[in-house]
């Protein structure tokens, strides 16, 4: 059953549509990320890191809206690929800091290209006005969901 048919069954349209969009986007992105040996989620983590600017694991978890344990698992895999490194915080040894390696910087650039390719694929089917309205509405939905999620955690 597609999102519009499901929406009619549940008396709405927003949730089934967002779920369908999320699933399809993630699947499309996964196909593109395989080309650079990454999995969905790893791309977002890499994009949150800036060269020469270590970030704490807890800050990364907050930025990605996931638990620190999820970030730790992702970091383990990215460390194995030599894309990121962990180090203790010089001011507080209890805090673990994460930073990009030179190889990670290269892969981050590749992630940017993958995201741009997906953006181009999606936007090519829309007028610039429709794309702008869609982006605005999606940002609004994202902020609403993030706010509600923070209250529940």
């Amino acid at each position: 059953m597609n999102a519009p048919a499901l929406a009619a069954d549940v008396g709405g349209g927003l949730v089934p549509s967002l779920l369908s969009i999320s699933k399809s986007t993630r699947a499309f992105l996964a196909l593109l990320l395989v080309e650079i040996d990454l999995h969905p989620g790893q791309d977002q983590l890499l994009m949150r890191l800036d060269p020469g600017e270590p970030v704490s694991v807890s800050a990364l978890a907050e930025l990605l809206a996931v638990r620190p344990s999820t970030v730790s698992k992702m970091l383990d895999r990215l460390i194995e690929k030599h894309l990121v490194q962990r180090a203790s915080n010089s001011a507080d040894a209890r805090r673990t800091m994460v930073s990009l390696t030179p190889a990670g910087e290269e892969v981050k650039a590749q992630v940017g290209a993958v995201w741009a390719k997906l953006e181009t694929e999606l936007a090519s089917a829309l007028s610039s006005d429709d794309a702008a309205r869609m982006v605005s509405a999606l940002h609004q939905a994202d902020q609403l969901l993030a706010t509600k999620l923070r209250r529940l955690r």
Side-chain angles (χ1 to χ4, degrees):
M1 184 178 291
N2 60 27
L6 182 59
D9 288 347
V10 297
L14 194 56
V15 171
S17 293
L18 286 172
L19 290 171
S20 178
I21 289 167
S22 176
K23 183 179 176 182
S24 297
T25 303
R26 190 169 173 92
F28 196 157
L29 184 59
L31 293 172
L32 296 174
L33 289 173
V34 135
E35 297 172 11
I36 59 172
D37 194 31
L38 290 179
H39 296 281
Q42 293 175 339
D43 59 324
Q44 293 176 53
L45 189 149
L46 290 173
M47 294 303 279
R48 293 293 186 162
L49 296 173
D50 291 319
E53 294 184 29
V55 177
S56 71
V57 172
S58 58
L60 263 178
E62 189 171 317
L63 287 169
L64 297 170
V66 297
R67 294 185 176 138
S69 60
T70 302
V71 170
S72 290
K73 290 174 194 170
M74 290 169 55
L75 289 173
D76 290 342
R77 292 181 181 106
L78 293 172
I79 287 168
E80 286 176 16
K81 296 178 183 185
H82 307 286
L83 302 179
V84 299
Q85 57 192 8
R86 282 188 184 113
S88 295
N89 183 315
S90 57
D92 182 354
R94 296 171 297 173
R95 294 182 68 192
T96 301
M97 305 302 287
V98 179
S99 58
L100 283 172
T101 64
E105 291 178 38
E106 291 176 21
V107 173
K108 180 180 175 178
Q110 293 173 349
V111 169
V114 164
W115 284 13
K117 181 178 181 179
L118 181 55
E119 177 89 14
T120 300
E121 288 283 333
L122 296 173
S124 67
L126 302 170
S127 71
S128 59
D129 286 345
D130 285 347
R133 280 192 296 275
M134 183 180 290
V135 167
S136 177
L138 290 171
H139 279 298
Q140 187 177 0
D142 186 36
Q143 288 179 345
L144 174 68
L145 289 167
T147 299
K148 291 189 177 294
L149 189 57
R150 268 188 232 105
R151 289 186 199 144
L152 294 172
R153 286 188 173 159

